[in-house]
Amino acid sequence: MIVVNRLASLWLLCGAAFALGACSGGSSSLSAPAVASIEVSPNSIALVAGQTDQVTVTATYTTGAKAGIASGETFTSSDPAVAAVSATGAITAIAAGTASITATDPGSGKVSGAVTVTVSAAQPASITVTPSSASLLPGASQALTVTAQFAASSTPITSGLAFTSSNLNIATVSATGVVTAVGPGSATITVTDAAANQTASATISVLIPVTLTSIAVTPATASLAAGARETLNVAANYSDGSQKSLSTGLVFTSSNSAVATVTAAGVVTAVAPGSATITVTDTAANKTASATVTVPVPLTLTSISVAPATSSLVAGSTETLSVTANFSDGSHVVLNSGLGFASSNAAVATVNGAGLVSAVAAGTATLTATDTANGLTATAQLTVTPIAAVTLTSIAVAPTAATLAPAATQALTVTGTYSNGTSAVLTTGNTFVSSNSAFATVTGVGLVTAVASGTATITVTNTATGLTASATITVASVTTVVGGNVYSNGALDTGVAFHLFGGALNVPAPAPDPSTPFTDGTAGLKVVITGTTGAYSGGAWVASATRDLRAANAVTFWAKASTPKSSLKIQIGNDAGAGANVNYQVESIGIALTTGWQQYVLPLPDPTKAVGFDGLFSFADGPNNYTLWFADIQYVNLPGNVLGSLAATNPVKVTWPTPSLPVGSANAYTIPFGPNVVNWSGTVPPLPNAGVLDNVTFRWFTLTSSNPAVATVSPDGVVTGISIGTATITATLAGVAVPGEATVTVTGVPTTPTTYAATPTLPASSVTALFDSSGVYTPHPVDSFGRLFCSNSRLVDPYAIPGGTGVLQYTLNLCVGITFGDGESGNTNNTVDASAYTTFHVDLWSPNPDALQIQLVNAADAASGTKSVGTYNAGTIASGQWVSLDIPFSSFTFTNGNAENALQQLLFISGTSTMILYVDNMYFH
């Protein structure tokens, strides 16, 4: 649009006058022309809310000339809420409607005609719904808000909307957008703005309510020496599989305070030998759990024995006696100090303080060994034969072959066989030679040390006779595992720290001890085992970040003690609660320690499971008052012929329970182990505790449910009920099947039927059927099985049960109708004449039954024009099972007398809540 400047207009007028001789020089006087009228253009404007436009004002002067007015005029809108106008004539459409825009010239007072502005509502580019997702518990509600999104603005919408739910069994929605959670699952709520042709949706997740299902106490079993203490930890198990530690609201009791007491904080103190059950009660949830505490009879030294108990030596030969201490628990330890030896006949044989027997002359002698600290004795019988009477005919070495890991040792024993058929161990007069000392070395007394991967032959020669024997030593290749180092070269690995077990006493804390070096000269890791009455020592070396140790198959370590002991417990996978707390625990109990460095191997039950480790190595012992040292604690991969394997002849033993779990709420049940003992057939170096692994936790096993649709099982043995039925939980360990299984029965109210109602048996000639899933009857024609006389009810697609065609499935909110003679399909001839019958039959199934009515409706009476409605109150049927109803017509209360001769409709009417209803076998008989 072009707007002409007012000053320019005046010059135009003057120029025209000058041409006519009216303007000359500066002496003439020219008066300005007056404005005769003004007008605004265009006459009408159509805008969408939010758009703008400009009007133009034109002045007509008394001279007849026309020109635009650039400024000074004023603009007025008859309805600024519809269309606003600025001082320069810029119009902005505000909201739908009509407004008039007028302009006034302030100099002349002239007013223009009106410009009509018609504003139509803006169409949103989209609509959104908030929240776009929500998680609700059953019964909870959530109001949805719908917003129209325009190019530069947004505005809430409260009308003209339609809401729908993709699954009414999960969530319903009102006409105003209020969502109500019904049952577990996920539903999509869709809102439609029909006028704007826009839709939006929100995802509603209905959660399974989380409930506290059980509590658990750890450790579940404990063996404590009298006076020792153990702190019990209690955790709550929830229906969603989560777990939370409990520290308040707990009450602890002991079944036998003479054996073990327990404080209000759960600290158990062993009192005297026996067994006691410690029960903990969560008073708020009324849940209990228990732990078994065993206090063993104090370990005592009962006897000593000497080997060989009988022997025969040739005069001039020697042998060494071995003395073993026998303890009250059946364990044994070889004694290397504190012994005295004596011979009953020094003329026949002598014995020194180290137990070395020297045959002197023919005869017999009794050799006595004495444990000087305890005064116990044991004897051996020796026969010495004259040297001239027999000759040495051959020698043999044992073992003839051995496979060793690097740094492991093996003592060779040389046995001589004599001409009289006797044999004796030859401890002197022998020389040993290795064929390759780069692989294995040997000392003068036959102690072989593995050096590096390879094979060497060790040859022994009897110097007196020249007889020889040999042993083949294979040194295995040991793979060092990345991340497998715990303690080596006198220092802990980076990121590894010590954490004390609860209730344990270790003073000072374990630390490198340069005064007690390992064989390579580096410091041993010193641990002081307390001797304080009632105390115990224990803790774990834990990595600051979890490690993947699947490349390893064992942990190896060296250890020695200040005095021989056989009570130490070694564990892996226990992080003392300081790390990720994923339970990979496995342990060896009763490791025999000597005063010299020995190497031990603890196999991983199933190396493929060893991921997420932080509890690398731990120990525990009672108040046994000694010092021990560790060295070279490492996770390695050993060859199979060194490590051995899980012994199939003595597999793991598990006591499986038979749990019964509820369905739907995902309640969990933990299967306890016991006794969970694994036997490992190991070779060299010897496995601790005879290769027995104890307290192997679920993480090492592969657990399987035979029917995950009924029950699932987690890696930690938590079984969760999913649906009604039974499932068996089985386990394997490193490919070896665990004997037995857990049969899990999942109970509760099912949400859908799994079987059909009983098949009808009445003859077809005596029945008029409306619906029959079994196909026994030919059904009467039906117009509709889902006539929605009431809002919010609906017929779901027929629900198919395995083995049949399906039954009728309704989401019943108020009522739903079945029509067969009301003309819905244009046919009014389908009415049922049931006057020859006496009874209506129907089979019903519901997971959430409510008060239910059944109505029969007859056709309109020709004379009165009214229908007769018969009502039967079925009440609330049993849930989760088929309910068979045979209802006499006399039980229906008809509004206009009995009218069974022209039935045209059947209605199911619920109470106040939404009822899921399955229907089968509807017939008159």
Side-chain angles (χ1 to χ4, degrees):
M1 295 181 183
I2 300 175
V3 179
V4 180
N5 183 275
R6 181 182 297 217
L7 181 60
S9 299
L10 293 176
W11 277 109
L12 288 172
L13 292 172
C14 182
F18 180 79
L20 296 174
C23 296
S24 63
S27 62
S28 299
S29 175
L30 178 65
S31 61
V35 176
S37 65
I38 66 172
E39 61 182 17
V40 181
S41 61
N43 294 328
S44 63
I45 300 174
L47 298 175
V48 175
Q51 290 183 331
T52 61
D53 205 342
Q54 178 74 42
V55 296
T56 301
V57 180
T58 302
T60 301
Y61 293 86
T62 54
T63 62
K66 292 186 178 183
I69 299 176
S71 62
E73 65 271 30
T74 59
F75 296 91
T76 306
S77 172
S78 65
D79 192 346
V82 172
V85 62
S86 71
T88 60
I91 300 172
T92 301
I94 304 300
T98 302
S100 295
I101 305 299
T102 57
T104 302
D105 178 39
S108 64
K110 302 296 183 181
V111 179
S112 75
V115 175
T116 302
V117 180
T118 302
V119 180
S120 57
Q123 293 297 315
S126 64
I127 63 172
T128 60
V129 60
T130 54
S132 59
S133 63
S135 296
L136 305 175
L137 290 172
S141 296
Q142 172 69 56
L144 301 180
T145 300
V146 182
T147 303
Q149 302 293 332
F150 297 94
S153 64
S154 62
T155 184
I157 307 175
T158 58
S159 62
L161 302 174
F163 294 86
T164 59
S165 170
S166 65
N167 193 329
L168 295 174
N169 292 330
I170 295 172
T172 61
V173 60
S174 72
T176 59
V178 177
V179 178
T180 301
V182 178
S186 180
T188 299
I189 306 300
T190 302
V191 57
T192 301
D193 183 346
N197 193 27
Q198 298 286 352
T199 63
S201 63
T203 301
I204 302 298
S205 299
V206 182
L207 307 175
I208 297 173
V210 177
T211 58
L212 190 154
T213 58
S214 64
I215 63 172
V217 60
T218 55
T221 60
S223 179
L224 302 176
R229 290 187 175 90
E230 177 78 56
T231 299
L232 300 180
N233 297 307
V234 182
N237 299 312
Y238 294 90
S239 56
D240 62 352
S242 63
Q243 192 178 68
K244 179 181 178 181
S245 296
L246 296 177
S247 58
T248 59
L250 303 175
V251 176
F252 293 87
T253 58
S254 171
S255 66
N256 192 340
S257 298
V259 172
T261 61
V262 62
T263 69
V267 179
V268 178
T269 301
V271 178
S275 179
T277 300
I278 306 299
T279 301
V280 57
T281 301
D282 181 350
T283 54
N286 195 26
K287 302 290 184 182
T288 62
S290 62
T292 301
V293 176
T294 302
V295 182
V297 176
L299 188 66
T300 58
L301 179 64
T302 57
S303 65
I304 64 172
S305 55
V306 64
T310 59
S311 62
S312 177
L313 296 178
V314 177
S317 63
T318 61
E319 69 177 2
T320 300
L321 299 179
S322 174
V323 180
T324 300
N326 305 308
F327 294 91
S328 56
D329 64 349
S331 62
H332 312 281
V333 173
V334 175
L335 298 178
N336 296 313
S337 60
L339 299 172
F341 296 91
S343 172
S344 66
N345 191 342
V348 173
T350 61
V351 58
N352 67 13
L356 179 64
V357 179
S358 299
V360 178
T364 60
T366 298
L367 306 176
T368 302
T370 302
D371 178 359
T372 56
N374 299 285
L376 298 174
T377 61
T379 60
Q381 300 301 316
L382 173 65
T383 300
V384 179
T385 58
I387 191 169
V390 294
T391 58
L392 185 65
T393 58
S394 64
I395 63 173
V397 64
T400 57
T403 300
L404 305 178
T409 59
Q410 174 69 58
L412 300 179
T413 300
V414 180
T415 301
T417 301
Y418 295 90
S419 57
N420 64 354
T422 63
S423 60
V425 175
L426 304 179
T427 58
T428 60
N430 302 314
T431 59
F432 296 86
V433 177
S434 170
S435 66
N436 195 331
S437 57
F439 299 143
T441 61
V442 62
T443 67
V445 294
L447 181 64
V448 177
T449 299
V451 177
S453 178
T455 301
T457 300
I458 306 299
T459 302
V460 56
T461 302
N462 180 259
T463 54
T465 62
L467 296 172
T468 62
S470 63
T472 301
I473 302 298
T474 301
V475 182
S477 175
V478 176
T479 303
T480 302
V481 175
V482 175
N485 184 35
V486 181
Y487 181 89
S488 62
N489 298 319
L492 289 170
D493 191 31
T494 302
V496 177
F498 180 73
H499 293 270
L500 199 65
F501 283 153
L505 180 65
N506 280 101
V507 181
D513 178 15
S515 68
T516 306
F518 183 47
T519 56
D520 62 0
T522 60
L525 183 57
K526 181 179 180 181
V527 176
V528 176
I529 302 298
T530 180
T532 304
T533 301
Y536 85 100
S537 303
W541 284 278
V542 182
S544 59
T546 59
R547 298 184 178 185
D548 185 344
L549 299 174
R550 287 175 291 185
N553 59 11
V555 60
T556 64
F557 62 97
W558 292 73
K560 75 171 188 174
S562 58
T563 186
K565 290 290 181 182
S566 59
S567 55
L568 182 67
K569 175 196 292 187
I570 293 294
Q571 300 173 324
I572 59 176
N574 186 337
D575 65 7
N581 208 25
V582 176
N583 199 344
Y584 283 101
Q585 180 174 302
V586 58
E587 58 191 30
S588 185
I589 302 173
I591 294 178
L593 300 170
T594 68
T595 56
W597 288 107
Q598 290 192 74
Q599 188 182 32
Y600 302 88
V601 176
L602 195 61
L604 303 186
D606 183 350
T608 65
K609 306 284 188 179
V611 61
F613 251 77
D614 56 13
L616 301 177
F617 190 78
S618 55
F619 71 93
D621 204 347
N624 286 318
N625 193 27
Y626 69 99
T627 301
L628 71 94
W629 293 266
F630 293 110
D632 277 9
I633 307 172
Q634 293 182 326
Y635 284 82
V636 298
N637 187 283
L638 296 174
N641 59 351
V642 172
L643 181 63
S645 61
L646 181 67
T649 56
N650 188 15
V652 62
K653 300 178 180 67
V654 178
T655 301
W656 296 104
T658 305
S660 180
L661 306 176
V663 72
S665 60
N667 290 331
Y669 187 94
T670 302
I671 301 175
F673 269 179
N676 39 355
V677 177
V678 179
N679 249 4
W680 214 271
S681 59
T683 54
V684 178
L687 302 176
N689 193 26
V692 175
L693 303 181
D694 293 291
N695 299 322
V696 185
T697 54
F698 276 111
R699 280 274 167 169
W700 292 108
F701 292 83
T702 298
L703 303 172
T704 305
S705 169
S706 65
N707 192 346
V710 171
T712 60
V713 60
S714 76
D716 290 309
V718 177
V719 178
T720 302
I722 303 299
S723 63
I724 290 178
T726 59
T728 55
I729 309 299
T730 55
T732 59
L733 178 65
V736 177
V738 175
E741 60 188 21
T743 300
V744 180
T745 300
V746 181
T747 62
V749 177
T751 56
T752 58
T754 56
T755 61
Y756 285 88
T759 301
T761 59
L762 294 174
S765 59
S766 64
V767 169
T768 295
L770 300 177
F771 182 85
D772 166 27
S773 66
S774 66
V776 172
Y777 306 130
T778 300
H780 181 83
V782 171
D783 294 328
S784 173
F785 283 109
R787 185 72 178 275
L788 306 183
F789 296 109
C790 306
S791 63
N792 295 329
S793 294
R794 67 190 181 106
L795 170 68
V796 187
D797 291 336
Y799 177 73
I801 303 172
T805 58
V807 298
L808 298 175
Q809 180 184 6
Y810 295 102
T811 297
L812 189 59
N813 191 334
L814 296 181
C815 69
V816 69
I818 299 171
T819 60
F820 42 86
D822 64 355
E824 184 176 302
S825 299
N827 187 351
T828 59
N829 297 323
N830 289 338
T831 56
V832 173
D833 183 359
S835 58
Y837 299 136
T838 61
T839 307
F840 171 68
H841 177 92
V842 65
D843 290 311
L844 305 173
W845 195 103
S846 176
N848 61 333
D850 194 5
L852 180 68
Q853 287 185 352
I854 300 174
Q855 286 187 351
L856 293 175
V857 183
N858 82 318
D861 180 80
S864 64
T866 60
K867 295 180 179 181
S868 182
V869 178
T871 302
Y872 172 75
N873 290 312
T876 302
I877 64 173
S879 63
Q881 64 186 53
W882 282 107
V883 176
S884 185
L885 299 179
D886 269 299
I887 311 169
F889 289 145
S890 59
S891 297
F892 286 90
T893 303
F894 282 91
T895 58
N896 191 23
N898 294 342
E900 298 93 341
N901 62 329
L903 298 175
Q904 65 175 14
Q905 294 174 358
L906 168 66
L907 279 73
F908 294 106
I909 303 172
S910 69
T912 57
S913 64
T914 300
M915 176 180 174
I916 308 301
L917 185 66
Y918 297 86
V919 180
D920 197 2
N921 300 332
M922 289 187 292
Y923 54 85
F924 303 99
H925 66 93

